[in-house]
Amino acid sequence: MRYHEMSPQELLVAGNHAPEINDVPWLVRWDEVRDPEATVARLLPETVEFHTSGTTGPEEAWVRTAEQLWDEAGLLAGLIAPRRPDAVLACAPARHLFGALATVLLPARLRVPAWYRPQYYGAMPQAGRRRWAVVGVPWTFSVLLRHSEWVRAAEQVTVLHSTAMLPTAAARLVQTEGADQVSVTEVFGSTETGGVASRVWGPDDPLWELLPDVRPAWGEPDATGEVLLAVSSPRLAHRPGLPHPASHRTDDYIRAGADHRFRFSGRRGRLVKVNGRRVNLDELERLLRDVVHCADLACLPVTDPVSGENLDLLVVPAPGEELVGGDVRAVLATAGLVVRPRRVHVVDRIDRSDTGKLRRVQPPLPTRAGA
């Protein structure tokens, strides 16, 4: 894969005016810039507008200041600095907040070169670097599994991930290569809040810890012991033309713990109650990916005239293979699932954002034999 060597000036100017920088590989030598902070301060606009992914409704604009962005990039750098990365391989598109922070500004904070890889296929950078930070989106983990020789040639690989629940490939990567070789640092946040909390992934599902400048603003839990995550932070975004909010309440249910820690229960739009049992669709998808052989799958919440809420399963066949709903249902019947999908739809594709999030409104679902 050839990388276009782009100066920091070109990157920051193009990033504000030309979305095509998200579609071609490039290399930026932040390690050769005398004063990255001054360069960013000179070229980054006073305010930058980002849009929500549109997975649950229309996209919304949220504004952040250049100071907020630089400060948050510093927080992200602090999360991975203990592993002393000397290069960044980034896969998160710069048009979204996480990509702007981790793909563009994080390497400036670390003062290391950054290779940007926008696609699943292609060669890995061969730069003689030993300690890599990888800015990941969900498909990144499959790429690293496919290029195990690249991972093993490094002294350490630290993956920084946000925007979506980790795929099962992440656990396989850490288990295959070992936690000393590969670690995964997760960042919990949104376009509206920026980064809220972080953790280093582990098989025991560790608690999330609020970032240093974030304070809890949630109230008392409900009868189930859960509460919607609400926080205050100097990095909260604001809507165009409106003042900075004092706090922001998200759609994420949590179980609050001590010392500003919490356990994530699920997103409001990804929780359904089927016959009295609450189901986290993100968790169910993780289980299904281990038993259903396919190119992609997703659980879609639906209304049901009998149960009120239910879920359908969308499945994309693996390349060159035939698949019908009856085949999938036969597999599910032996998987020991507490809740099974109401219907199985075999589809050509699943509509997702470019960071892997499922869009709530999907293309019209075909009716196939056996579905």
Side-chain angles (χ1 to χ4, degrees):
M1 178 183 289
R2 290 190 176 183
Y3 290 84
H4 166 63
E5 189 157 347
M6 185 182 293
S7 70
Q9 289 82 355
E10 288 177 295
L11 172 68
L12 293 171
V13 171
N16 298 317
H17 304 288
E20 59 267 21
I21 71 162
N22 294 281
D23 302 319
V24 296
W26 43 256
L27 161 64
V28 178
R29 297 301 304 265
W30 285 108
D31 55 324
E32 298 179 352
V33 178
R34 177 174 298 178
D35 190 342
E37 182 174 5
T39 299
V40 171
R42 185 175 73 253
L43 296 172
L44 201 63
E46 184 176 341
T47 60
V48 182
E49 191 172 285
F50 295 94
H51 292 79
T52 55
S53 62
T55 55
T56 58
E59 292 186 0
E60 294 183 339
W62 291 86
V63 179
R64 309 182 76 82
T65 67
E67 182 180 5
Q68 287 177 316
L69 295 172
W70 185 249
D71 287 347
E72 184 156 349
L75 288 171
L76 297 180
L79 294 177
I80 62 175
R83 291 178 71 93
R84 297 178 288 111
D86 60 9
V88 169
L89 171 62
C91 304
R95 68 174 65 91
H96 297 296
L97 175 61
F98 178 63
L101 291 166
T103 294
V104 177
L105 296 181
L106 170 69
R109 276 288 199 172
L110 294 171
R111 303 185 76 153
V112 300
W115 284 260
Y116 173 61
R117 178 195 178 103
Q119 298 172 341
Y120 182 86
Y121 293 101
M124 304 292 276
Q126 304 297 326
R129 302 286 167 162
R130 298 294 296 162
R131 307 175 73 90
W132 287 88
V134 178
V135 177
V137 292
W139 55 260
T140 303
F141 297 97
S142 295
V143 169
L144 294 176
L145 281 169
R146 222 164 32 90
H147 291 279
S148 59
E149 75 290 343
W150 185 88
V151 174
R152 292 167 188 168
E155 185 178 328
Q156 282 189 344
V157 175
T158 302
V159 184
L160 184 69
H161 183 267
S162 187
T163 75
M165 182 172 285
L166 281 177
T168 55
R172 290 202 306 274
L173 177 67
V174 176
Q175 291 162 358
T176 299
E177 305 299 340
D180 290 336
Q181 180 74 11
V182 178
S183 72
V184 179
T185 295
E186 297 181 83
V187 180
F188 193 106
S190 68
T191 304
E192 299 91 333
T193 62
V196 168
S198 69
R199 68 178 184 178
V200 176
W201 179 87
D204 56 345
D205 188 27
L207 296 176
W208 294 88
E209 182 174 1
L210 294 181
L211 294 174
D213 64 347
V214 177
R215 295 293 176 265
W218 53 78
E220 294 299 317
D222 60 20
T224 67
E226 296 177 348
V227 64
L228 284 172
L229 175 67
V231 296
S232 61
S233 162
R235 293 178 289 100
L236 295 179
H238 66 278
R239 297 300 301 275
L242 296 179
H244 290 267
S247 63
H248 183 85
R249 188 177 71 174
T250 72
D251 285 335
D252 302 307
Y253 282 102
I254 64 167
R255 290 184 178 271
D259 300 323
H260 293 177
R261 297 172 185 264
F262 64 86
R263 189 172 303 283
F264 175 55
S265 298
R267 293 177 175 84
R268 181 152 52 181
R270 298 290 288 162
L271 297 172
V272 298
K273 186 171 284 188
V274 181
N275 298 324
R277 182 184 293 275
R278 197 175 75 171
V279 181
N280 183 329
L281 299 184
D282 291 323
E283 292 290 350
L284 181 59
E285 286 179 5
R286 287 164 62 103
L287 296 174
L288 292 173
R289 289 182 190 279
D290 287 336
V291 297
V292 178
H293 175 66
C294 61
D296 193 12
L297 62 78
C299 293
L300 190 68
V302 295
T303 57
D304 187 274
V306 177
S307 62
E309 294 180 279
N310 216 310
L311 64 113
D312 285 1
L313 178 63
L314 314 183
V315 183
V316 179
E321 297 186 8
E322 292 292 330
L323 189 67
V324 296
D327 298 332
V328 178
R329 286 200 302 275
V331 171
L332 299 182
T334 63
L337 301 174
V338 175
V339 174
R340 286 190 230 163
R342 181 191 65 167
R343 292 193 182 95
V344 174
H345 302 273
V346 179
V347 297
D348 295 327
R349 68 180 182 90
I350 294 173
D351 194 16
R352 298 182 182 274
S353 71
D354 53 12
T355 55
K357 290 183 179 179
L358 176 71
R359 298 188 190 278
R360 179 69 181 257
V361 178
Q362 292 290 310
L365 300 176
T367 301
R368 298 193 182 186

